[in-house]
Amino acid sequence: MTGAIEIASFKAGDQQGVIDLILPIQREEFGFAITAEDQPDLAAIPAFYQSGKGDFWVARCEGRVVGSIGLKDIGNDQAALRKMFVAAPFRGRELGVAAALLQRLLDEARERGIRDVFLGTTDRFLAAHRFYEKHGFVEIAKADLPESFLFMAVDTKFYVFRLAARDTGPEPRSPDRNSTDG
């Protein structure tokens, strides 16, 4: 890898790159018998993700899609994180591709008035569990998900990131130098 990583909103020309990123990870790394046809959202990213308060971002290196993340608006100022994938050579803290994708999603979600971001994952994605927990996601029971959450057949573990709880209001004022309070 020699080029810089760029994170940008999905555009039509990215569609095949997204499919070429996601399918091998699902099939070869995790052994899921799944096709692009089994995931109609991949054929309709603008309509499925880039509507309401949602969006879809890709990480590119030298024009090639090397990462993806989707924010699906599920109503009530809530959203679902979906399709977070990073190509194996671009994983790890050193490059920070996953962290940059997640930060972009959370920043945009906050700006768009999203209060809660939910996600479902499989119990096989152990590294993903550690990643989400390290970045502030909290595991929740399936029963605690909103009714509008879209389940994937492989989802067995669920998380939430509460954006509203992290907004603590204005910055604290610095103490007045002439104050006798200390």
Side-chain angles (χ1 to χ4, degrees):
M1 204 239 10
T2 58
I5 302 295
E6 170 201 15
I7 309 270
S9 284
F10 172 90
K11 59 184 193 299
D14 295 325
Q15 186 165 359
Q16 192 58 52
V18 169
I19 292 169
D20 292 345
L21 166 74
I22 292 174
L23 282 181
I25 293 171
Q26 291 173 322
R27 290 187 204 166
E28 296 160 24
E29 290 186 40
F30 295 101
F32 293 117
I34 193 166
T35 67
E37 293 75 29
D38 295 329
Q39 303 170 80
D41 59 318
L42 292 179
I45 288 173
F48 190 83
Y49 291 102
Q50 295 177 309
S51 60
K53 295 181 179 184
D55 211 333
F56 195 96
W57 297 272
V58 295
R60 288 190 207 92
C61 181
E62 299 175 352
R64 179 176 150 230
V65 173
V66 299
S68 68
I69 193 167
L71 183 71
K72 172 66 176 158
D73 185 342
I74 60 172
N76 198 28
D77 294 331
Q78 296 176 318
L81 184 161
R82 307 242 340 236
K83 301 297 187 203
M84 183 167 187
F85 291 93
V86 176
F90 296 87
R91 294 180 194 152
R93 200 174 336 154
E94 303 77 34
L95 296 176
V97 176
L101 282 165
L102 180 61
Q103 192 60 55
R104 177 71 177 266
L105 178 140
L106 293 173
D107 289 347
E108 294 275 349
R110 186 176 284 110
E111 286 179 25
R112 296 169 191 208
I114 298 291
R115 291 180 296 113
D116 304 306
V117 177
F118 296 92
L119 70 88
T121 187
T122 171
D123 54 9
R124 294 188 204 179
F125 292 174
L126 300 179
H129 304 165
R130 289 189 299 273
F131 174 82
Y132 293 128
E133 290 165 7
K134 175 183 160 196
H135 287 88
F137 281 80
V138 177
E139 188 173 356
I140 60 172
K142 184 176 182 178
D144 293 332
L145 292 165
E147 287 182 28
S148 57
F149 185 81
L150 305 170
F151 292 93
M152 301 296 293
V154 297
D155 289 347
T156 55
K157 198 170 176 87
F158 303 93
Y159 288 92
V160 65
F161 187 99
R162 304 226 184 258
L163 288 160
R166 295 188 177 276
D167 293 335
T168 58
E171 290 288 317
R173 293 185 335 146
S174 57
D176 186 335
R177 283 188 240 205
N178 296 325
S179 171
T180 58
D181 296 346

